[in-house]
Amino acid sequence: MLGIYRISMRMKLFIALFPLLLALCWFAGSGMKTRINTERQMDVIVQLTAIARGAGDVVHELQKERGMSAGYLGSGGGQFRAELADQRKLTDAAMATFSQLLAKTDRRALEGIDTSAIQLFNDQTQLLSEVRNNVSNLHTAAPKAIGFYTKTIAQVLDFVGGIGHLTTSGKIGQELSAYYSLLNLKEQSGIERAFTLRRFLLAIVLVTGNSAS
């Protein structure tokens, strides 16, 4: 007991304040960890939002190319030749941007999502050049070409559908899910427009041919 009285006042003060210092260090470390996790989550949200937007651009351009391809085939090559060539460039640009976004994305941001849809999408795009050549040369039927584009778009939509589950932010997740639903609705109407345009132009070709004969 007498040893306590021999301790200097400075040491006594340190001993008294030591538990408080430990508590402050713990709170500081906990706050730093929370801040780091928050910053990481925000970075993930930014990356996922960019990917979803890039995927939406790919869907949009593929939908336009599908419609023009259907119109070109339905008209027997008489319509949309120049427009289709320009649209293919826009599609290629959108797909290139999307690929760059995926390449730059932290792999950890995509943990928990089934990326098989992207692999299937990449497999489909390997066939795109051949499909385009067949369309240009009228060597394929419109339903087959439309089916190819529809399948390719579906792979992108499947990927977008899984993105909303990757964020812990309820609001962002809801917005991504709403965006996915919007893309799906747009796709359904796009499919109908492609077939309608093809039937309309085919009817014109038939009527024109009969009139000429």
Side-chain angles (χ1 to χ4, degrees), residues 41-69:
Q41 181 62 26
M42 289 300 297
D43 183 57
V44 168
I45 290 174
V46 170
Q47 293 184 69
L48 294 180
T49 302
I51 290 177
R53 185 169 58 248
D57 291 340
V58 170
V59 168
H60 179 62
E61 300 303 340
L62 282 172
Q63 287 170 336
K64 291 195 295 182
E65 183 172 334
R66 176 181 59 193
M68 291 182 186
S69 297

Side-chain angles (χ1 to χ4, degrees), residues 169-188:
S169 172
K171 182 178 180 181
I172 299 299
Q174 290 174 1
E175 291 178 352
L176 288 172
S177 295
Y179 182 59
Y180 168 68
S181 298
L182 178 63
L183 290 178
N184 263 314
L185 289 174
K186 186 170 175 285
E187 169 61 1
Q188 295 306 312

Side-chain angles (χ1 to χ4, degrees), residues 43 52 65 86 99 102 140 162 199 206:
D43 183 57
E65 183 172 334
D86 292 338
S99 296
L102 285 175
T140 186
R199 288 193 295 265
L206 291 175

